[in-house]
Amino acid sequence: MVTGREHLLTSHRARGRAMVLGLLLILPQLGAAASADTAIESWVTLRQQPTESLEQQASVRTGAAQVRARLMLADRALNQSAAHATAYLQQAEAGLSSADARTIAGLLRCQLEHRRGEASAAQSCGIARQPVPGDDFVQAYWHWTRAYLAYREGEHEQSLSEATQVTTLAERLGDLDLIAQGHNMIGLHYSTRLRPRMALPHFDAAWQASEGMQYPAVRHMVQLNLGSNYTYLGRPGEALELFREANEAQAPNIYPTRQLIAQSMVAQAQAAIGETEGAEAQLRAVIDTVRDKVLPDALTFGYMGLGKVQLAEGNPQGALESFDKILVATGQVLPEGVEHSRIQLMVVPYARALRQSGDTQGAIDLLNAVIAAIPAQQPDQLLVNAYSELATACTAAGDTRGATRARAQSALLQQQLWDESFHYRVARLNSRIDAQRQTEAAASARERAEVQAQADSREAQLRWQAWLILALLVASGLLFYSRRIQQRLALAERAVSDRLEEQVLRRTADLEDEMAQRLQVEADRRALQIQLAEAEKLRAFGQMSAGVAHDFNNLLTVVSLAADQLRTRDEEHLTQQDRQSLDSIEEASESGRRITNGLMAYARKQPMRPQAVRLDDYVRSTLPLFTNTLGEHFEIRTALAACTVRVDPGQLTTAILNLLLNAREAMAGGGVVDLTVSVVKEQAWLAVRDPGCGMAEDARTRAVEPFFTTKTAGEGTGLGLSMVQGFSKQSGGDLDIESIAGQGTQVTIKLPLHAGITVSESGEVLSEPEPVGELPILIVEDRSALRKVLQKTLVQLGHQVRTAEDAADALAQIEREGPPRLLISDIVMPGTLNGPALADHLQARYPGLAVLLISGYSDDYRGGHSFLRKPFSAEDLERAIARALQPESDGPSPESTAARASA
């Protein structure tokens, strides 16, 4: 049974559907009227507008009008900035709807990628390889793209044909941009073929068309080409004026090839009028800048200008070298390659350089080959220049008759070129008159079409107004009736709405709780990943530092021992300068040893190994490491009181580095960091103070919490100060932090004083063992340089020395010659036995054998044999040998035990 409420809802819904149906009948008429009122400007009209107007349309208008404006902005930016052209094109491509817009966008993408030399240009330019539908503008733009590609690919005849069609369509449309670019391309064709008089009217036409354009990029391009043509016509002064005006007016070009061509044109014009000062240097700077950014063939423009400048400066040999680079870049040889367009521009200057360098006959032979290769019935400027240069070369060779014939032929060809140019200009004038008539007829037709379009638009606007009035009346009635329906439905729907809202709120709360849990899990996972990545980075850096320090220690050992050998062997014959040089070597070796000690200490990851350390000496020895860590904009100011503490040197270095790095982060612009050591109340206080940004009170109280950091995500782990506090506590001390926001921070490590034996920064006890007499010694070391210098040092100390490069070699020698008294072996060696394994094996067979192990690592060895860490001096080696023999004769002393533990 249907209830009264359900019947009411059903009735109201039926009335609502009736109102919606009525609106649906009216809205199409409104949409059609609105669309009729929204006129889209033509492509040609858009191209005649200033850039500011196009930018406004691209940002304010919507739909097809906005897309067209963005496409025209992209086309306009092609000759100025590839980045801007790319941005406008990408915005337009996001809203393409019409076939014409898609065609223009595809052609723009082809030109842009081809100009930038991108590999995808081959695929994007497929649209230019086949016919495309569209109006006259689309057809003209398609022909222009094909003309541009043909010219870039060296197909000059096709480029001329396509450019001619561009000018025909562009003049009919009245598109100044395409008129200028079409005539510019035709002029380039004739100019490249060395027919500058036929190119001149086209460049003039392009120049006149560019004067009426709303942006100067095309005008600057035509300006450069017209100047180049003036150079070929023998008018270098006018050409240089155009080049300089264009270079000063236009912004730096993002296309390296165009930059190279422009500078080459300037250099050639300067060479022609004798103003060559600085021209070669400027051109070489451009060549060096763009060499890796242009195709090899494009470099020929630069080398052409360079060769002509060198000719003008009287350096024919340098000019020949520059011209030879053009042959290499184009893959051509002379005289066979004379048909190549780049070689045609170069061949006459090349012959002139040969003549000026003394090879007159070579110049004559080359010019005759060029003249024979060019058909006489198709004269061009190259042939005229070749005969003129041949006359000069024949004169230099004493061939007066040949010179006279060459001059006569040059004058005859020159007159033919003038005649051809005159007839071409007449034909061109007639063609322009016909084109003007067609343009006027087309303009008249367009005017009539515009009048008809205005009438149609007015009629459509009246229809739209009528439909709007009708729609307003219907909407008013529907609104009045719907308001009464809404009042009745509101009560019925309120209860349902309340229930739904309650359910939504409950479900939303559940989802928020679930989302919060997921976000927390994700945050924990990311934090763990960051910690793991940081730990892996620190481990890798530690391994790298240890490896670098190990290799560097081997080198320092060779340097130190070699210096000791020189001083010991030639002490009486050394001059004061020699002694100073040896002192400098030993000082540099000692400085290197301190640096590698700092690296080793920073790289180690072993548990705490406390030693009695003279704190002030230790800070001085590691100060270079701290200074390098902070960088050149920071200065470390020290005040160090003498005191001894018992700490792990590596952990101490890491703690100081953490504090200094925090100080650097707090002082973004650099400055002075204070590093002080003082004695206060039976404690050694090591303090680092910076005048940086400081910390707020809540940050200071939490500073030592693990993973707490005030840096942004990814810039810090928050473990620095917690590691420093852990080191302080583990060493029996404490950590104190004083900081004021905006005024700076001081962090103080407080350590208990120690009164035991002081250990040097290398980890050796400062004691002198008893000297030993002559010993038979076997050295096992895989590095040849270190093995040789060790042998020489021990021989100078009076010992009998044998050497082996690995454990297998050592065992073979002992089998042949018997065991030594002392084995000195590197710990890390190639082969199956390392140093400790070799020592254990030999001591098992020969109990009386003494062992001294050496290594460039700080924590390679933890066994019971004597150990000496690289680098070391001859004195260090002598003391280590005495300690190695001491345990057998007198038993292990506390000093030797401490030395092995410190190693």
Side-chain angles (χ1 to χ4, degrees), residues 43 68 71 96-107 133-135 138:
W43 295 107
R68 287 192 170 205
L71 287 174
L96 295 176
S97 57
S98 67
D100 285 355
R102 284 193 294 270
T103 300
I104 298 298
L107 295 172
D135 57 16
V138 175

Side-chain angles (χ1 to χ4, degrees), residues 820-878:
R821 178 67 180 84
L822 173 65
L823 172 69
I824 300 178
S825 174
D826 192 7
I827 289 181
V828 179
M829 292 189 302
T832 57
L833 292 179
N834 59 13
L838 175 63
D840 293 340
H841 175 74
L842 291 177
Q843 280 191 334
R845 294 180 59 185
Y846 309 104
L849 176 68
V851 175
L852 173 61
L853 298 179
I854 59 176
S855 177
Y857 290 107
S858 64
D859 54 358
D860 276 335
Y861 182 62
R862 297 291 181 266
H865 300 297
S866 295
F867 175 76
L868 179 61
R869 188 175 67 218
K870 304 172 187 175
F872 49 79
S873 64
E875 294 180 1
D876 297 334
L877 179 61
E878 193 171 12

Side-chain angles (χ1 to χ4, degrees), residues 701-721:
T701 56
R702 298 184 59 197
V704 296
E705 293 182 9
F707 306 113
F708 173 77
T709 178
T710 58
K711 301 175 184 176
T712 59
E715 292 187 359
T717 61
L719 296 174
L721 285 177

Side-chain angles (χ1 to χ4, degrees), residues 372-550:
I374 300 176
Q377 66 273 19
Q378 295 179 359
D380 58 18
Q381 194 65 35
L382 172 60
L383 203 55
V384 174
N385 295 342
Y387 273 114
S388 177
E389 179 59 28
L390 180 59
T392 304
C394 288
T395 301
D399 185 3
T400 306
R401 181 176 298 178
T404 302
R405 285 198 304 268
R407 288 193 188 93
Q409 191 65 26
S410 176
L412 177 62
L413 290 174
Q414 186 76 22
Q415 184 62 42
Q416 290 180 7
L417 287 178
W418 278 110
D419 294 342
E420 182 185 36
S421 175
F422 174 76
H423 294 308
Y424 181 79
R425 285 173 178 267
V426 171
R428 179 63 190 162
L429 180 60
N430 292 331
S431 176
R432 291 184 64 179
I433 293 174
D434 293 340
Q436 183 66 28
R437 291 173 179 172
Q438 294 178 3
T439 301
E440 291 175 355
S444 177
R446 283 198 302 271
E447 184 177 357
R448 291 194 299 272
E450 289 176 358
V451 171
Q452 183 62 39
Q454 291 177 359
D456 294 342
S457 175
R458 182 59 180 169
E459 182 181 355
Q461 186 176 10
L462 291 175
R463 284 199 304 270
W464 177 79
Q465 292 174 352
W467 278 107
L468 180 61
I469 294 172
L470 177 60
L472 289 175
L473 293 175
V474 173
S476 299
L478 293 175
L479 181 63
F480 174 77
Y481 189 69
S482 64
R483 186 173 298 174
R484 295 184 60 186
I485 295 176
Q486 289 175 359
Q487 291 175 352
R488 296 181 182 180
L489 288 176
L491 295 176
E493 292 177 352
R494 186 173 302 169
V496 176
S497 177
D498 291 341
R499 289 195 299 271
L500 289 175
E501 184 176 359
E502 182 180 355
Q503 294 177 0
V504 168
L505 288 175
R506 284 201 303 269
R507 182 55 182 162
T508 301
D510 294 340
L511 290 175
E512 288 178 350
D513 292 342
E514 183 180 353
M515 182 60 67
Q517 293 175 1
R518 291 183 178 180
L519 291 176
Q520 183 62 40
V521 171
E522 181 66 17
D524 294 342
R525 184 182 66 82
R526 290 179 179 175
L528 181 58
Q529 288 178 344
I530 292 173
Q531 295 172 25
L532 291 175
E534 186 67 20
E536 181 65 21
K537 180 175 70 175
L538 292 175
R539 183 184 69 82
F541 177 73
Q543 292 175 350
M544 182 194 70
S545 299
V548 170
H550 170 255

Side-chain angles (χ1 to χ4, degrees), residues 157-169:
E157 295 301 328
Q158 182 185 351
S159 175
L160 175 63
S161 174
E162 298 289 348
T164 302
Q165 296 187 62
V166 170
T167 56
T168 301
L169 291 169

Side-chain angles (χ1 to χ4, degrees), residues 207 223-224 226-228 230-231 235-249 265-266 269-270 273 275:
W207 180 260
Q223 200 169 23
L224 291 175
L226 182 57
S228 177
Y230 280 168
T231 302
R235 299 159 64 181
E238 299 174 67
L240 187 58
E241 183 179 352
L242 285 174
F243 294 151
R244 287 172 174 168
E245 180 184 346
N247 288 339
E248 291 174 0
M265 290 177 179
V266 172
Q270 288 178 306
I273 63 176
E275 296 181 1

